[in-house]
Amino acid sequence: MKTLYKKIEDKTITWFEDRNEYLILENTTADVLKRLNNGISVKEIALSLSKKLDVPLDKAADFIIHLKKELNDPKKSNKKAIINDYRDIEKPRNYNFVNYYKVNNVVFKISFLSETELDLIHPKFSHLIIDKTENYENEFEVFINNNFIFLYVNNKHIDSWSHNNVHYFQGKFSMEFIQRIHQKEENEWLGVFHASAVSNEEKSILFLGDSGNGKSTSLALLQANGFTCLADDFVPVDVKKQEVYSFPAAISIKKNSLETLLPIYPELKDGKEYNLVKLNKIVRYLKPNNTNYFAHLPCNDLVFIKYQKDSELTCTKISKIDAFQQLIPDSWLSPKTENAQVFLDWFVNLNCYQLTYSNNKEMIDTVHKLFSNDL
């Protein structure tokens, strides 16, 4: 089993190839695992560990055996059960909604069987819609059959998902979308992060935070004050240069942000509301101010941002281990060994901050300082 190790601060981040999983381990634990994977016997490792930690030999051996079982034994497959092999599924002959979307000079024809499928994708990309054309590079088809949602791209069946896994469908749709915008295969991406990416046209910063922390509201404020929205919610980073790539989705704005944003974006007043039941929120969509969806820029900073009423502004560097624990759960990271190594090397060199604020102007001024390296 291929395993990667990266010491960060006083811990070791360990990656397991067989399940594409990252764990944060104590350095001693990681060292034991590394020696096991190098074929050194439990007895030999236990002797060394017993002396190093001044513990009985049998206790050291028990620890190693338990570790080997927990971390190294093959896990049960998490793959979904095969419910239908889809041989009898036929693509619809007619779709009720056929739209054309233009991203810079790349045109997509996207067909949706009904309004149900349309509402899963269209709202975030409605600002890209153009009139019907015969000149398009890519054709996507989305339809529901037997309670499964199917995605076809250029007549190829990509996958299908149950109604409980709609978010996986949306993620895969977005991945297929960016591959064709930026002309990259899936293995050329380092990862995709649940974040907002802001640029000053020279470099980018990733803003992260739990739902309700004000991430998208902050992004909307920043793009109204001289910054560019590179991506919202779905932020792709490439392997070759570890740069953040533009993604053309609109910014999702929750109801409780309207009071703050309506004076800046009056178009939100008449914007259609969408009830995202699975996410338990009602949103309207705001067009990003990006004029070049082919843009890609370096990123050296992760900022965990939080709006907190009546709080003093604070912006401090945080532990990279803490940042890693917050970053990983909502991210898609490449399962390719070489890419996992690049990700660890990239992450260890990032600056990680916690920014808490209540005053919008102070937050914007602080982001200017971050971009200028003045903090």
Side-chain angles (χ1 to χ4, degrees), residues 167-230:
H167 58 295
Y168 289 119
F169 154 71
Q170 291 169 321
K172 188 62 175 178
F173 181 98
S174 296
M175 180 60 81
E176 293 291 327
F177 205 49
I178 58 165
Q179 286 174 211
R180 283 151 184 83
I181 294 169
H182 298 296
Q183 296 298 300
K184 286 183 180 290
E185 297 297 324
E186 188 168 300
N187 64 11
E188 294 178 88
W189 297 108
L190 189 70
V192 176
F193 302 95
H194 181 58
S196 298
V198 180
S199 88
N200 64 351
E201 306 299 333
E202 294 179 2
K203 63 178 183 177
S204 64
I205 291 177
L206 292 194
F207 290 89
L208 304 103
D210 293 336
S211 180
N213 278 4
K215 187 168 71 263
S216 293
T217 306
S218 302
L219 173 60
L221 290 167
L222 289 167
Q223 81 161 17
N225 284 273
F227 297 101
T228 299
C229 168
L230 266 186

Side-chain angles (χ1 to χ4, degrees), residues 109-212:
K109 176 184 178 182
I110 306 180
S111 303
F112 307 94
L113 184 59
S114 73
E115 193 167 0
T116 301
E117 292 91 332
L118 181 77
D119 283 348
L120 294 175
I121 298 297
H122 174 73
K124 276 205 163 192
F125 301 103
S126 61
H127 59 285
L128 302 171
I129 202 162
I130 60 171
D131 292 336
K132 180 179 179 180
T133 176
E134 297 301 320
N135 300 314
Y136 54 87
E137 288 79 15
N138 298 284
E139 182 174 9
F140 285 48
E141 296 168 86
V142 182
F143 63 92
I144 293 173
N145 188 310
N146 289 335
N147 294 317
F148 274 74
I149 185 163
F150 287 77
L151 173 63
Y152 278 75
V153 176
N154 298 331
N155 289 315
K156 179 184 176 183
H157 175 226
I158 301 301
D159 208 341
S160 54
W161 299 261
S162 72
H163 64 89
N164 292 322
N165 292 316
V166 166
H167 58 295
Y168 289 119
F169 154 71
Q170 291 169 321
K172 188 62 175 178
F173 181 98
S174 296
M175 180 60 81
E176 293 291 327
F177 205 49
I178 58 165
Q179 286 174 211
R180 283 151 184 83
I181 294 169
H182 298 296
Q183 296 298 300
K184 286 183 180 290
E185 297 297 324
E186 188 168 300
N187 64 11
E188 294 178 88
W189 297 108
L190 189 70
V192 176
F193 302 95
H194 181 58
S196 298
V198 180
S199 88
N200 64 351
E201 306 299 333
E202 294 179 2
K203 63 178 183 177
S204 64
I205 291 177
L206 292 194
F207 290 89
L208 304 103
D210 293 336
S211 180

Side-chain angles (χ1 to χ4, degrees), residues 1 3 62 77 120-121 146 158 188 203 206 245 282 295 302 304 323 348 350 358 368:
M1 177 186 67
T3 311
D62 286 346
S77 173
L120 294 175
I121 298 297
N146 289 335
I158 301 301
E188 294 178 88
K203 63 178 183 177
L206 292 194
Y245 274 65
I282 297 173
L302 300 185
F304 294 86
V348 78
L350 293 175
S358 61
H368 275 287

Side-chain angles (χ1 to χ4, degrees), residues 76-82:
K76 290 182 180 179
S77 173
N78 290 321
K79 291 182 179 179
K80 64 185 179 183
I82 299 174

Side-chain angles (χ1 to χ4, degrees), residues 337-350:
T337 303
E338 296 89 334
N339 296 357
Q341 185 65 64
V342 172
F343 167 67
L344 289 169
D345 293 342
W346 173 68
F347 178 82
V348 78
N349 290 308
L350 293 175

